[in-house]
Amino acid sequence: MNRRDFTAKSLASSALLATLPLSELFGSNLPSGELPVLSYDQINPETKDQFKTTLDWMRNNGWNGFLKNELKINIDLSSNISLDSLQKPLADIKQLRTIKGLEDFSGQQLIQPGIPEESLLYHLMASPRVKSLLIKSYPEIGELEALENYIYSFVDLDRYPFQNKDNVFLTVLSYEYRPGLKTPPYYQNYLDRSKASRMVFSRCGVARIGTDPLNYDAENRLFTNEPKAANKNNVAVTAARYGLFLVELVDAKDSRIKIMNRQKEEAKGKSPRRFVCPIAKITDTDAYQIEYGHHHINEKLYRLSQYRYQDRAIEFNKDLDLEKEPFIRVDSSEPTLQKNDQPMVDTMAVGSSILVTSIPDELIRFAYQDGKLLSVPVPEGWAKRMHSNRRHSAMKLPNEYGKEVTNVIISDVIYRRSRRVTSLRSPKIAPLFLNIKFEADESAQSGYKHIDGETYPGTGFEDKIQKGGYQTIIFEDSICDGCVAAKLVSKNNSLSGILEEKSNQVLPAFSLVTAPDFFPYIDSNDIRASYKPGRGVNTDQDFFEGGTMNLSGIRQRGNPALRNPFNPTEPAFASTLEENKSHDTLTVVVSSGKNMDDTTNQPIQNFERNFLTSSFLPDTGTGVFFPGWDVTYSAEPGKVKSQSPYIATYGLGSPFPEDMKLCAAANGMWPVTSPDAGRTFQGSLEAFPIVNLKPNTAIPLMDQEIGIHPNSPAVKTHRQSPNYGWDGEQGPFVEWRQNNLQVNYTDIGRADYLLNLLDDNIGFDMSQLRNLEGQEVVRRMDCLRKTIKKVDHKKLWSTKLWLINAVKVDDWSKPFDPKCLPNEGIFSQIDYKTPQNDMLSGKGYFFVIAKTGKGESQNIGDLDDTDEDKKRLMLPVKKMWICQITTGALAFTQIKKDQKKPGKWKREVWYVPNKEKENSQA
């Protein structure tokens, strides 16, 4: 029976229960069909004390006033409260659900034994939608933990009606509480008014690396990557939270759970896969204590040293020990597995749960062994069998059995209309990309010289990269994958019942410690939810490569090299037990299956995104791997054809910013965390074979966000301040040169994210993007899609036009100066500051879009002989569109060369679409 249905069946007797003495309130003689709970006297005294302390904390921080004055609940929270009053049915639940922040609350009582999400006190404390000026302080993890443990402690595990006891296990889960908007499933029922706030669980957690210590934002109930320190450009590490739960493994159609990304075969009941159905959290008691352990591996450089492509190999110096740091870094709570001088991850116990974080450090670091800076020879560039070992200026290490090009053609071209995600299932046996622009040079004080347009001017840069034959410096980063395990430590042999029976079958969680999330308040479901029926927009149609599938949609086993720290001879995710149960559902996100009580007849606005949220669960990680941003498909060398792939982090670039640059340039290929650098580099990107299309911009970033160059009109003409963008680069701009229009832009080959990170004056600027929210990003995508359709009559993924400038407009009903175009030449004849469509009002954008010539680009540095522009190129413009756009209205004018008058340009009148038609589309 669905354990959530027990609550409804108990309401008839709730009045009677409220009159019982406290010691009998949760007695064992409950009517048939109710959630089996323990008596109050059976709850661990320490758990009760912590709960009472939390009630005192709430009283001292304004929560009493909030309950009385805003919620009209006349109760005094304190450790002296008559606890039976917390279980009484709330007087007017209909009225409560009209209050902002409570619309998606599904319970009936202040405390519902065993069910935190149906306990109003927990909802108030844990939901980021609940805020009030009366509240002086919001809860830290410790307060949530105490309240959560108290509620879960009432579940009588030995009397729970399991469907199949053989499928019951103690399991480590990553978990959090979410508003209804973010509970499973995702976009199919995104506007389902019955969706409720729920506890959400996964066997995988996603922590992220950073330069600064952990920072918890209590008001918004989230880990923020914004540092507490003054430098907001930096990035704080973020944690994943884990707890030990008793779970039953069930199939996808079990009514007790909902799955965030259920596959078609699972929905039809044709899959043997099993998913976790959490029964209750296990908390420390006077009978036993939970002990957590972890095991994490970073073996990216070791896999690099083992790389082979037929007779080609990566040859490190034979004097190096490839079994030690930095080639293999193992951080484990089990001493016999530990291989690190310095830890990679930090664990912090919070009550009965644990936080896992990366150790704050520089995002990239030079790799040393025994004090010696490491380097490796760069082979000559080659191409064979649709594979090559170069991608722009990076060295590429393809899997010789991989079918990368075929995969893209099938999923991105042939099946584009029906696809939701590109599979790209060519597993990575080593880091797919390697930065090779730091040439070892013992004569230099730093030990290297950077390969760029200054050290190798003209075509020397490209020749140097292609010919190889030099030693390139090796870097390392803190990305790793691992497991979080647990065991119950009995006190005086006091384990009994189901816990004793299952104490030797504890399943670990998969732990990812991976790259920073530049969009912490956005996830792919925000974007996927915008593809609603009737909008004429197919899922992922804006993206030429990749898509919005997240890690919750991946069905794959975890890295078999990981060991369980409590059983170090056994793989963490490859035991017979795992293979037969849930080995490929590690990253799936689930919640309980109960919907809102629709008998209230109240409008439930839980789908409104009126709150900030970030997450450490896998549905905020990327699920498209080429190689990916968070993780990738991997396989053992020599076993690629016979062995199914698995999830690991060593297939990411070495170090991670090397593939991050290529991912970001591929038209927002992984928009869960990947900013879109398509327009920064578009002129220098390579067209994909057969279809002759380049990746372009799908999620437009504004000029300020991608960086404003000191030679741009924004600076030279309009006196704006130049800046570096989120990635340390600077965006394209239009120049008027000798009666011609040119686009000045950055060459992706000469751009180097590693060099940016090593420069204290540049770096990555996390402050540019971290506060962007889903509604803003979807609005940008909608406006760009609409603009391209009007000016080019094509889908966004198939256009060859280039978004040069993008400026946000707060209110189009007023004149607006975008301050991004020259004032000379043809631009002096255009009034682009005044709205040209009287329907333009409210938020929108100013877009400058260009069609460039097919000729060879020119290097600005060689042309002007200026060192600062050695990595910038220039392309001639054939046509240009200046666009004023909102989601409901559009106006644009076209500029093009006058074919009858050489050296002259002309523009068309402003195009304003039919107002009646425009209204219907809005």
Side-chain angles (χ1 to χ4, degrees), residues 7 36 105 112 115 215 228 266 270 280 341 354 362 455 468 518 546 565 615 628 726 735 773 778 797 881:
T7 304
F105 171 61
Q112 177 63 55
I115 311 177
N215 185 11
K228 292 181 180 178
E266 295 160 0
K270 297 181 179 180
D341 294 331
I354 189 172
E362 298 299 324
T455 54
F518 285 81
S615 175
W726 67 270
E735 287 188 293
E773 299 181 45
V778 169
W797 72 271
W881 293 263

Side-chain angles (χ1 to χ4, degrees), residues 18 119 205 228 259 278 312 419 503 540 556 668 677 713 773 781 797 811 844 921:
S119 302
K228 292 181 180 178
I259 299 173
R312 298 177 175 91
R419 78 180 178 101
S503 60
D540 289 356
Q556 204 63 254
E773 299 181 45
M781 295 176 68
W797 72 271
D811 187 356
Q921 290 181 344

Side-chain angles (χ1 to χ4, degrees), residues 416-446:
R416 166 164 289 278
R417 287 181 177 270
S418 60
R419 78 180 178 101
R420 285 185 181 167
V421 63
T422 305
S423 62
L424 295 173
R425 294 178 62 90
S426 297
K428 309 300 177 284
I429 59 176
L432 184 58
F433 300 110
L434 177 68
N435 185 290
I436 55 173
K437 291 203 283 290
F438 288 78
E439 182 179 6
D441 184 356
E442 294 183 356
S443 66
Q445 184 176 0
S446 62

Side-chain angles (χ1 to χ4, degrees), residues 638-749:
K639 299 181 180 180
V640 172
K641 299 180 73 174
S642 61
Q643 183 187 69
S644 63
Y646 51 82
I647 301 175
T649 55
Y650 65 73
L652 302 174
S654 182
F656 79 92
E658 192 59 22
D659 66 56
M660 195 177 87
K661 179 181 75 171
L662 301 174
C663 292
N667 123 295
M669 189 172 179
W670 298 273
V672 186
T673 53
S674 167
D676 190 339
R679 71 186 188 95
T680 298
F681 304 120
Q682 187 171 338
S684 56
L685 299 179
E686 299 170 359
F688 193 80
I690 302 175
V691 294
N692 191 32
L693 290 173
K694 295 180 179 182
N696 51 29
T697 292
I699 304 180
L701 300 182
M702 301 296 103
D703 290 359
Q704 181 73 27
E705 295 163 355
I706 66 173
I708 298 176
H709 195 274
N711 289 339
S712 67
V715 177
K716 297 181 73 173
T717 302
H718 301 285
R719 301 292 183 250
Q720 293 194 81
S721 298
N723 73 291
Y724 293 103
W726 67 270
D727 56 356
E729 294 298 330
Q730 293 170 317
F733 58 87
V734 177
E735 287 188 293
W736 183 261
R737 283 178 176 252
Q738 299 176 346
N739 290 327
N740 280 305
L741 287 178
Q742 308 280 351
V743 177
N744 184 314
Y745 67 99
T746 300
D747 176 16
I748 191 172

Side-chain angles (χ1 to χ4, degrees), residues 67-79:
L67 284 166
K68 291 180 179 180
N69 298 321
E70 293 194 19
L71 305 190
K72 309 304 179 186
I73 298 175
N74 189 24
I75 195 169
D76 288 314
L77 299 176
S78 75
S79 58

